[in-house]
Amino acid sequence: MPTEISSPIQGSLVAIVTPMHADGALDLEALKKLIDWHVVSGTAAIVIVGTTGESPTVDVDEHALLIKTTVEHAAGRIKVIAGTGANSTKEAISLAAYAKSVGADASLSVVPYYNKPTQEGLYQHFRAIAEAVDLPVILYNVPGRTVADMATATTLRLAEVPGIVGIKDATGDVARGSDLIRRLRLLEKGSGKRFGIYSGNDDSALALMAMGSDGVISVTANVAPKLMADMCRLALAGDFAGARAVNDTLMPLHFDLFVEANPIPAKWVLARMGRCNAKTRLPMTPLSARFEPVLEAAMRHAALL
C-alpha cells in the first residue's frame, strides 16, 4: 500500500532553479547555498528538477544527481519534492523509484506532454506510478506547456487513489481552480483523506489560498523566498489584509518573471542578486537586454535592490 501523508505541506514551496556554470555544467555548490537560503527564509519545501529547474535539458544522470544532492544537503531541514514527471509512464516510474531510494519526501509528476493522452490515459498513467512506487505523488497540471489538460473529473478520480496526495494547478484559471478546491474538499469529507492543493501560478496564489488551497509551488520564491513565505503564512492564518500587503510588493515579480520563458528571468534576477549564474541551456537563451530594466524595477518594488 502506498504511503499516505497525514497532512499536506503548506506554504511557499519553491520550484527551484538549477544553477549552472558559464559552460553549462551543474553548479551544485550554488544549489546548496540556495537551499540554505530557503531554509532560513521559511520556505516550506524544495521542488527540485521541475520546469523551473530546466528538467527538459538535464540528462538522466544529472536529474538523479540533482535530486540526491538536494536530499542530502537538505538533511531533514526542509521537505524535498522531486520532479519525476515524464511522458513515458515507465520513465516516470523509474524516476520516482530513484527519488524514493535517496529519501525524497514526495514526487511532483507532470501531465504527460507532447503525446496528448486521453483522460483515461492520464488516469492510468498516474495510477500506475502511485501503485509502483511507495512515494507520495503530487500531480502537476500545466496545459500551457503540456498541451494535454487534466480535467477536474480526472483529478477527482485520482484523488481517491492511495499514494496520490495533492495537485499543483497551473491552469491560471482562478474560477476553475476555485471549483477544483471546492470539489476536492467535498470529496475529502467522504473519504477522510486530506488532499494538498497548490497554485502553480504566483499571481493567483493568494486568491486560491482564500478559497482553501494549501499554498503555492512558486517561481517568485526563487528570488524573494521570505516574502513569499510570509505572504503564505499570513494567508493560511486568515490574515488576508496582511497577505495582500505583502503580495502587492511581489505582484510585479509575479508578472515580470515571465517576460521571457521561465526560468530565464528568474536566473537573471538571481545573478543580479549575486546568488548564482544566469546561465541556461539551449534552447533557452540569455535574457533580452530590453527586459533588464523591467526586472530591475520589479526588484526595486520588492526591495530586492
Side-chain angles (χ1 to χ4, degrees):
M1 179 67 67
T3 300
E4 298 290 353
I5 52 177
S6 58
S7 59
I9 301 166
Q10 290 190 311
S12 172
L13 293 67
V14 63
I16 201 166
V17 302
T18 296
M20 297 173 181
H21 294 288
D23 63 358
L26 301 182
D27 186 347
L28 298 180
E29 291 308 309
L31 174 62
K32 292 174 184 178
K33 291 177 181 177
L34 290 179
I35 293 167
D36 292 339
W37 186 34
H38 283 285
V39 170
V40 300
S41 297
T43 299
I46 304 289
V47 180
I48 185 71
V49 214
T51 308
T52 309
E54 294 178 77
S55 56
T57 58
V58 298
D59 64 32
V60 174
D61 290 342
E62 290 173 324
H63 197 131
L65 179 60
L66 287 164
I67 295 171
K68 184 173 186 288
T69 300
T70 300
V71 171
E72 289 179 349
H73 190 70
R77 295 175 297 158
I78 188 170
K79 298 291 187 181
V80 175
I81 300 169
T84 60
N87 60 352
S88 158
T89 305
K90 181 179 179 181
E91 181 180 344
I93 289 172
S94 177
L95 286 170
Y98 179 80
K100 166 72 176 179
S101 74
V102 296
D105 295 288
S107 67
L108 180 71
S109 195
V110 70
V111 164
Y113 39 87
Y114 189 75
N115 46 14
K116 298 174 69 174
T118 64
Q119 293 302 308
E120 183 61 24
L122 294 178
Y123 175 79
Q124 295 294 341
H125 171 80
F126 288 117
R127 180 171 181 166
I129 296 167
E131 290 179 344
V133 183
D134 184 14
L135 181 69
V137 179
I138 298 172
L139 310 170
Y140 178 17
N141 190 31
V142 57
R145 284 184 179 264
T146 63
V147 180
D149 184 357
M150 188 162 61
T152 296
T154 304
T155 304
L156 293 169
R157 287 181 71 196
L158 287 166
E160 297 185 287
V161 174
I164 297 180
V165 300
I167 184 169
K168 175 183 178 181
D169 173 31
T171 62
D173 185 333
V174 173
R176 178 177 169 181
S178 298
D179 181 60
L180 176 63
I181 292 166
R182 179 185 66 83
R183 294 172 70 179
L184 282 167
R185 296 302 182 226
L186 285 172
L187 186 67
E188 286 175 1
K189 290 181 180 179
S191 68
K193 175 183 177 180
R194 183 71 166 81
F195 200 75
I197 307 169
Y198 307 96
S199 174
N201 299 76
D202 286 290
D203 57 3
S204 62
L206 178 54
L208 292 183
M209 279 188 283
M211 298 302 298
S213 76
D214 293 288
V216 58
I217 297 179
S218 172
V219 174
T220 301
N222 276 285
V223 303
K226 186 177 187 305
L227 287 171
M228 282 301 298
D230 287 348
M231 189 273 285
C232 290
R233 175 179 51 79
L234 291 165
L236 291 167
D239 182 357
F240 290 105
R244 282 196 303 271
V246 178
N247 199 51
D248 285 349
T249 70
L250 291 167
M251 192 58 75
L253 285 170
H254 294 340
F255 287 112
D256 295 337
L257 287 174
F258 294 89
V259 290
E260 289 189 329
N262 178 46
I264 294 169
K267 278 193 159 181
W268 186 90
V269 171
L270 284 168
R272 183 72 173 79
M273 297 170 72
R275 295 283 178 180
C276 72
N277 200 304
K279 176 67 178 178
T280 55
R281 289 179 177 174
L282 286 171
M284 295 295 187
T285 51
L287 183 75
S288 301
R290 70 182 184 278
F291 291 124
E292 293 181 7
V294 174
L295 286 170
E296 286 186 337
M299 292 173 72
R300 282 192 292 274
H301 192 81
L304 302 184
L305 285 180

